[in-house]
Amino acid sequence: MFAAIFNIGWAATQVSHMAMVNCISLNSTSRVALTSSRNAFTMVANLGLYAIALVVFGVIKAGSKEDTETQYRWIAYSSITIGCCFVVIFLMGTKEPRLRIDLKETSRARIPWVYWFRKILYYQVAMVYLLTRLVLNVSQAYLAFFVIDDLQMDQSAKALVPAIIYICSFVVSVLLQEIPWNGKRLKAYYTAGGIIWIFCGAAILLLPRDISSFMYAISVFIGIANALMMVTAISMQSVLVGAEVGGCAFVCGSLSFLDKMSCGLALYVLQSHQTTSPRGQLNNNQQSVYLSVTRYGLGLVPALCSFVGVAVTFFMELEAAGSLSKPLLREPLLE
């Protein structure tokens, strides 16, 4: 029940926040910069959670199962409290913006759902966003298990490896804000991120335990690829929306619904084979590589999704959509 309530609140927050980007500005580069900033602060929030956990683990020592439960309970309480404080600051401290430029009434009017279903670009963007979320969510779900169970690294690695990924994603997200964007660059940067993830997936599948320290280097490239793919995939939604901001909520909401359903289904299928799948073993110069479901979930699934995402992106006609080939406005839509 708690998980269901949490996801309802998370979906409402995520969709409205993603749609807000398209309402703030119609300028293509500004929209990508806002998306990059959003992704960067997401990484800051993830790192902040690690900082909270570090403080809690230092204050409360885990000597029993009850102590461990207390630790994670305080981590949850602290993160929820801090998050609620920022929500209150945003709602109470942010002045309600108003339109600086009079748009056509058709741009602000509510657009029927059927309108988007007639666009080929909608299905292409939906596929790319869905695959990108699969890459990020499935890999995050299996990362800690792979590091501890498959590679048998130190317990600290299950915190250090994700931290490296978040830091690299933060740096790349900040750098992406300084680039003037067009359709070709969106496709090129997404393709670059996808190719990096394909190589990372192959490295994860073949990584033996005795050189498990290479996982730290792989995590650097995973962080870079995550930022490149996530920022550009969300920015493609802005290309789809264009100046028709009346439909941005439906676009963001429908794509978010698809990504949550697909991620849940993918994790369910993988977990259903967790205990029944045989654990293959490959011997190469007395080195063992165990092909577990965890390794498939972290290496094979993201790599395949990245490959398909890159293929779909190749056939996109973002320039024809008109949103990035020529900026719609040179000034913000709101003030």
Side-chain angles (χ1 to χ4, degrees), residues 62-283:
S64 62
K65 180 180 179 181
E66 289 74 17
D67 293 336
T68 303
E69 292 178 353
T70 302
Q71 286 180 332
Y72 283 95
R73 187 177 292 112
W74 275 106
I75 292 174
Y77 289 157
S78 302
S79 58
I80 292 173
T81 301
I82 294 174
C84 290
C85 289
F86 277 99
V87 170
V88 172
I89 292 173
F90 173 76
L91 294 177
M92 303 298 295
T94 304
K95 182 181 178 181
E96 186 71 19
R98 60 185 179 85
L99 285 172
R100 295 184 59 180
I101 300 172
D102 290 331
L103 296 176
K104 295 180 180 179
E105 192 64 29
T106 54
S107 298
R108 290 181 289 173
R110 183 178 179 181
I111 300 176
W113 297 358
V114 181
Y115 171 80
W116 301 107
F117 295 146
R118 295 171 181 168
K119 285 178 169 284
I120 297 178
L121 186 61
Y122 173 82
Y123 298 99
Q124 293 174 324
V125 171
M127 181 64 68
V128 169
Y129 181 73
L130 183 151
L131 292 168
T132 303
R133 294 303 308 187
L134 276 173
V135 170
L136 269 69
N137 292 344
V138 174
S139 62
Q140 288 178 359
Y142 285 102
L143 181 60
F145 297 103
F146 173 73
V147 167
I148 300 301
D149 296 337
D150 286 55
L151 297 183
Q152 296 183 351
M153 300 175 69
D154 295 334
Q155 289 292 325
S156 60
K158 67 181 180 182
L160 185 56
V161 170
I164 294 174
I165 293 176
Y166 295 146
I167 292 172
C168 293
S169 293
F170 171 79
V171 173
V172 173
S173 297
V174 172
L175 295 177
L176 291 177
Q177 299 180 40
E178 305 301 323
I179 300 174
W181 290 94
N182 54 41
K184 290 183 179 179
R185 284 183 179 173
L186 271 183
K187 295 170 64 174
Y189 277 76
Y190 183 88
T191 301
I195 292 174
I196 293 174
W197 238 119
I198 291 172
F199 281 105
C200 290
I204 289 170
L205 284 174
L206 301 175
L207 184 65
R209 288 178 178 174
D210 53 352
I211 55 171
S212 59
S213 58
F214 275 91
M215 189 61 200
Y216 294 114
I218 295 174
S219 63
V220 172
F221 292 99
I222 291 177
I224 295 172
N226 284 351
L228 291 175
M229 295 180 70
M230 194 73 254
V231 171
T232 52
I234 296 178
S235 298
M236 290 176 188
Q237 297 182 29
S238 299
V239 179
L240 173 63
V241 172
E244 297 163 331
V245 294
C248 61
F250 171 76
V251 171
C252 296
S254 60
L255 268 57
S256 181
F257 173 78
L258 288 175
D259 102 68
K260 288 173 174 55
M261 293 294 293
S262 61
C263 290
L265 182 61
L267 291 174
Y268 174 79
V269 172
L270 287 170
Q271 284 300 110
S272 65
H273 292 82
Q274 182 69 43
T275 56
T276 59
S277 62
R279 199 178 192 187
Q281 181 174 343
L282 301 176
N283 293 321

Side-chain angles (χ1 to χ4, degrees), residues 20-63:
M20 199 180 300
V21 170
N22 299 313
C23 297
I24 292 176
S25 176
L26 293 180
N27 182 275
S28 56
T29 298
S30 297
R31 283 180 168 180
V32 180
L34 289 169
T35 302
S36 302
S37 178
R38 181 179 182 273
N39 193 68
F41 277 96
T42 301
M43 299 303 109
V44 172
N46 291 332
L47 292 171
L49 184 59
Y50 277 92
I52 293 173
L54 182 63
V55 173
V56 172
F57 290 152
V59 174
I60 304 175
K61 303 301 180 181

Side-chain angles (χ1 to χ4, degrees), residues 284-333:
N284 183 17
N285 296 329
Q286 297 181 347
Q287 297 178 1
S288 298
V289 177
Y290 295 100
L291 300 178
S292 63
V293 172
T294 302
R295 192 180 288 265
Y296 283 131
L298 181 61
L300 182 61
V301 173
L304 287 178
C305 291
S306 299
F307 176 79
V308 177
V310 169
V312 174
T313 304
F314 178 79
F315 293 100
M316 277 187 179
E317 295 183 1
L318 295 180
E319 299 289 352
S323 295
L324 290 178
S325 57
K326 49 183 179 181
L328 296 171
L329 290 175
R330 294 185 178 275
E331 54 184 321
L333 180 60

